[in-house]
Amino acid sequence: GTHTDITAHKAIQEEIFLAKEEYKQLVVSLRAIVWKFDLALHKHTYISQEAEVILGYPLKDWFEIENFWRDRIYQEDKDWVLAFIAEQEQMGLEYEFTYRMIHKDGSIIWLHDVVNTIYKDGKVIEFIGVMTDITKLKSSEDQLSQEKERLHVTLQSIVDGVITTDLLGNVDKVNASAL
C-alpha cells in the first residue's frame, strides 16, 4: 500500500480554522451590526449578534420575515432611504448614510450604515455593511441645537444692547438692541 503524508494539509486546515475563529471574535466584539445582503436572493445572508442588542429583534426575524429590514425603517425616512439605496446600487458605488429604525420596543434608533459593494465577473452580487448605533450622538446634537436656539431667543429678547466676543476678542453675537 501507499501512504500519503497529510501533515501539510492538516496544518492548512488548522490555519483556516484559526483565521475563521479570529474573524468571528472580531465581528462579535464590534458594537455594531455587521451584515451581508445577497442581491440574487434579495435577502440578508448574515447578521451579527449585535443586531439583537441594538434593535431588540431576534436574529431569526432578519432571515425569516420578508422585507424585515425595510419594514422597520422609520416611516419618515423610508421613501428617501429606499430611493437613495436604489440609486447607489444602480451606480455600483460604496456608500454610507444615516437613518432611523424602529426598535422592537417602539423607540427610534439612529443608525449610520456603511455599505461596500461586492462584485463577481464585473457584476454586483452582494452588499456587505456595518450599521452603527448613533442614537446618543443624535440626541446630544439635538440638545445642543435646542440650547443654541434658547440662547439666541434670550439674547434677542434682552432690552439692553449685548455684544459677545470669542477668546480672541472677535465679535461673536450681537442682539438687535446693540445695533
Side-chain angles (χ1 to χ4, degrees), residues 21 49 51 73 75 146 159:
E21 284 301 305
Q49 194 71 38
I73 299 172
Q75 195 60 42
Q146 290 170 9
V159 178

Side-chain angles (χ1 to χ4, degrees), residues 21-114:
E21 284 301 305
E22 190 175 328
Y23 174 77
K24 192 188 304 182
Q25 288 174 356
L26 179 64
V27 169
V28 167
S29 71
L30 289 175
R31 298 200 49 103
I33 302 168
V34 178
W35 57 270
K36 284 175 70 173
F37 185 86
D38 186 294
L39 211 51
L41 299 174
H42 202 68
K43 68 178 190 173
H44 286 95
T45 55
Y46 178 82
I47 298 289
S48 65
Q49 194 71 38
E50 194 68 11
E52 286 187 0
V53 176
I54 293 174
L55 293 168
Y57 302 97
L59 282 184
K60 67 179 182 61
D61 289 0
W62 289 79
F63 305 105
E64 295 175 3
I65 299 173
E66 192 173 340
N67 300 317
F68 176 82
W69 173 80
R70 187 185 72 194
D71 292 345
R72 276 141 196 90
I73 299 172
Y74 186 63
Q75 195 60 42
E76 290 178 25
D77 293 350
K78 191 176 289 188
D79 289 344
W80 78 259
V81 164
L82 296 176
F84 176 78
I85 290 171
E87 180 181 306
Q88 300 305 309
E89 288 177 359
Q90 208 168 33
M91 293 189 285
L93 300 174
E94 294 178 356
Y95 56 95
E96 54 187 271
F97 60 112
T98 299
Y99 61 101
R100 294 168 287 184
M101 285 190 73
I102 304 299
H103 188 281
K104 186 175 184 180
D105 69 10
S107 63
I108 296 170
I109 304 296
W110 280 93
L111 295 173
H112 183 76
D113 209 342
V114 178

